[in-house]
Amino acid sequence: MKKIKAGKEWYVEKEASTSTRPYRLTFWCLKHFPRWLVNFITYCAALYFFVFDKRCRQESVRYQKNLKAYSPAFKKIKPLRQVATFAVTIVEKIDCWTNPIPFENIRFSDDDAQALIEQLNQGKGAFIIISHLGDSEVLRSLANKNEIGIKKTIPIAVLSDRDVSSNFSKAMNAMNHNFTLNTIDVNDITPATIEKIMDTINQGGLVVCAGDRLSKNKSERYLTHDFLGKPAPFSYGVYFLADLVAAPVYFVWGFRRGNIVLRRDCEMFVIKSKAKLGGGRKGREERMNALCAEFVQKLEGFVQKYPYQWYNFFDFWMFPNGEENAN
C-alpha cells in the first residue's frame, strides 16, 4: 500500500460550474446553431479543459493505463479523446431532455429491457443501478415520454449528489419541467427518505442510483472489489438500499455509437441482476457484496467495449483513508 498525496477527496468536491449559464448557453446553441457548429464548439471547450485542468488529464491517463494493463485489447492511451467524449455527452444530456432522441434511434440489445417494461406494466417496482460509464439518461427521458411501451405513468426517484449536480438539475428543470420528478440527496439518507424510496417501489416505480460513487457523508463505509485488476471502493449505501427494498435490480447502461460525434443514436443495455436480495440483517453483507461484484463484473466488460466513455475523472482506486494499491 502507498500513500497518495494529501488533498481534497473527490467525493467532497462541489460542482465545477457555479451557475446554470453554461447549460443554458448550450441549450441555446443546440436550438439555433447547425449540428456541425455545435460539434466544433464542444471540441473547443473540451480542448480548453484538457489543457487547463491538470487533474483531468492525470486521472484520464491513470484510468487508461490501468485499462491497458488489464486488457490487452486496449492499445492506445488517448486522454483527449476521453475528455472530448465527456464534453459531447454533457451536450447530449441536454439535447435528449430538450429535444428527445427519437425512439427509432435507440437500439436495445438482446437483454432484459422487455422484462423490466412488463414488470412495470404489472405495477411492480424496480431498483435501477447505473454508473458514470456512458449515459443512461436517455432511458429516463424516454420513460418520461412514454416511448418504451410503459402503459402508465410511473414514479421515479433518483438518488444523486445535489452538491455535484444542483446547477445542472436547475437548468434542465427550467428548460424541461419533466426533468426533476423526485430527486433524493444520496448524502442525506434518513428514515424519511428510506420511506420515500420504499413508497416509490410499492407504487410500481423506479429507484435510480449510481453504483460507482461514494457518499461524502458515509465515505468511511464502502465495499471493496477488484476493478480492472486493482482493489477499488464502491458505495456501501447503494447496495444496502437495494437489499433493504428487496425489489428486482436492473443494471442500465447507455452508449453513444461513436465516441466524439453528436449522432443522436445510441445503444441501451438493461440487465437484470441474478443476486438474491432481502431477508433481513442476517446475510446482508454477503448479499450486498454479491450484488456489487456482479455490477463490477458488468462494468469491467462495458469499460473494455466503450473505453473512452468513462466519466470518473478522479483516482477511482483511492480509498477514503488516502491509500491505494501499490501496483
Side-chain angles (χ1 to χ4, degrees):
M1 305 289 285
K2 67 177 181 179
K3 285 284 184 180
I4 302 302
K5 185 178 180 180
K8 194 174 183 182
E9 289 88 348
W10 63 265
Y11 47 83
V12 299
E13 292 187 358
K14 293 189 176 182
E15 190 175 11
S17 177
T18 57
S19 76
T20 64
R21 291 177 184 174
Y23 308 117
R24 291 177 179 272
L25 177 60
T26 302
F27 169 68
W28 188 89
C29 291
L30 283 166
K31 188 175 181 180
H32 295 93
F33 289 170
R35 190 50 57 102
W36 68 265
L37 184 53
V38 175
N39 271 326
F40 177 75
I41 294 172
T42 302
Y43 301 151
C44 289
L47 181 60
Y48 174 86
F49 283 106
F50 180 78
V51 171
F52 292 101
D53 192 330
K54 180 179 179 181
R55 178 172 132 173
C56 180
R57 296 195 308 272
Q58 289 178 333
E59 298 307 335
S60 179
V61 170
R62 185 199 305 273
Y63 150 71
Q64 292 188 34
K65 282 184 175 179
N66 286 340
L67 177 57
K68 186 176 181 181
Y70 180 80
S71 176
F74 184 71
K75 302 295 185 182
K76 296 181 180 180
I77 295 176
K78 299 179 180 179
L80 179 56
R81 170 169 285 200
Q82 185 181 346
V83 175
T85 304
F86 177 61
V88 170
T89 295
I90 293 296
V91 174
E92 286 197 336
K93 279 179 180 287
I94 297 172
D95 198 18
C96 80
W97 275 103
T98 56
N99 182 26
I101 298 174
F103 184 70
E104 58 269 19
N105 286 25
I106 299 175
R107 181 176 66 194
F108 284 86
S109 65
D110 186 17
D111 48 27
D112 298 312
Q114 192 57 44
L116 175 59
I117 292 169
E118 292 174 1
Q119 178 177 320
L120 294 172
N121 282 331
Q122 293 170 8
K124 300 176 182 178
F127 196 93
I128 306 296
I129 299 180
I130 61 175
S131 73
H132 293 80
L133 175 72
D135 180 17
S136 56
E137 199 77 38
V138 174
L139 185 63
R140 183 177 157 205
S141 174
L142 283 176
N144 287 339
K145 283 191 66 191
N146 194 26
E147 287 200 18
I148 54 176
I150 299 175
K151 299 176 182 178
K152 59 180 181 178
T153 301
I154 60 170
I156 301 175
V158 180
L159 281 73
S160 64
D161 189 334
R162 288 180 181 168
D163 285 342
V164 172
S165 59
S166 60
N167 287 318
F168 178 80
S169 297
K170 288 177 183 176
M172 293 309 303
N173 192 40
M175 292 181 278
N176 185 330
H177 295 299
N178 290 325
F179 178 79
T180 304
L181 298 180
N182 187 6
T183 303
I184 298 173
D185 189 353
V186 73
N187 297 310
D188 189 28
I189 300 298
T190 65
T193 54
I194 291 176
E195 183 178 357
K196 186 182 294 185
I197 290 169
M198 296 292 290
D199 286 345
T200 301
I201 294 292
N202 293 335
Q203 293 169 18
L206 297 175
V207 174
V208 183
C209 55
D212 60 343
R213 292 281 177 96
L214 300 182
S215 166
K216 67 180 181 183
N217 291 341
K218 299 291 183 181
S219 60
E220 73 282 358
R221 301 196 72 179
Y222 52 84
L223 303 178
T224 302
H225 288 273
D226 280 2
F227 176 67
L228 301 183
K230 297 175 62 175
F234 289 85
S235 170
Y236 183 94
V238 168
Y239 301 99
F240 173 83
L241 287 173
D243 185 70
L244 186 66
V245 302
V249 173
Y250 290 81
F251 307 125
V252 175
W253 279 277
F255 300 101
R256 183 171 52 263
R257 297 177 206 165
N259 289 308
I260 56 175
V261 180
L262 287 165
R263 295 178 55 182
R264 288 185 61 77
D265 61 347
C266 66
E267 186 167 14
M268 300 296 302
F269 295 86
V270 180
I271 304 171
K272 188 174 183 179
S273 170
K274 298 178 181 179
K276 303 297 181 182
L277 302 173
R281 295 183 179 180
K282 185 178 180 180
R284 175 165 287 160
E285 294 286 335
E286 290 80 4
R287 296 191 298 269
M288 289 167 54
N289 273 290
L291 177 61
C292 185
E294 185 181 10
F295 168 77
V296 173
Q297 181 186 33
K298 301 295 184 185
L299 184 64
E300 283 184 330
F302 285 121
V303 160
Q304 294 176 75
K305 189 174 181 181
Y306 301 94
Y308 299 111
Q309 295 189 41
W310 171 258
Y311 307 134
N312 283 308
F313 291 99
F314 55 85
D315 186 352
F316 194 81
W317 293 266
M318 185 176 73
F319 286 79
N321 59 6
E323 297 182 343
E324 69 171 10
N325 200 39
N327 59 341

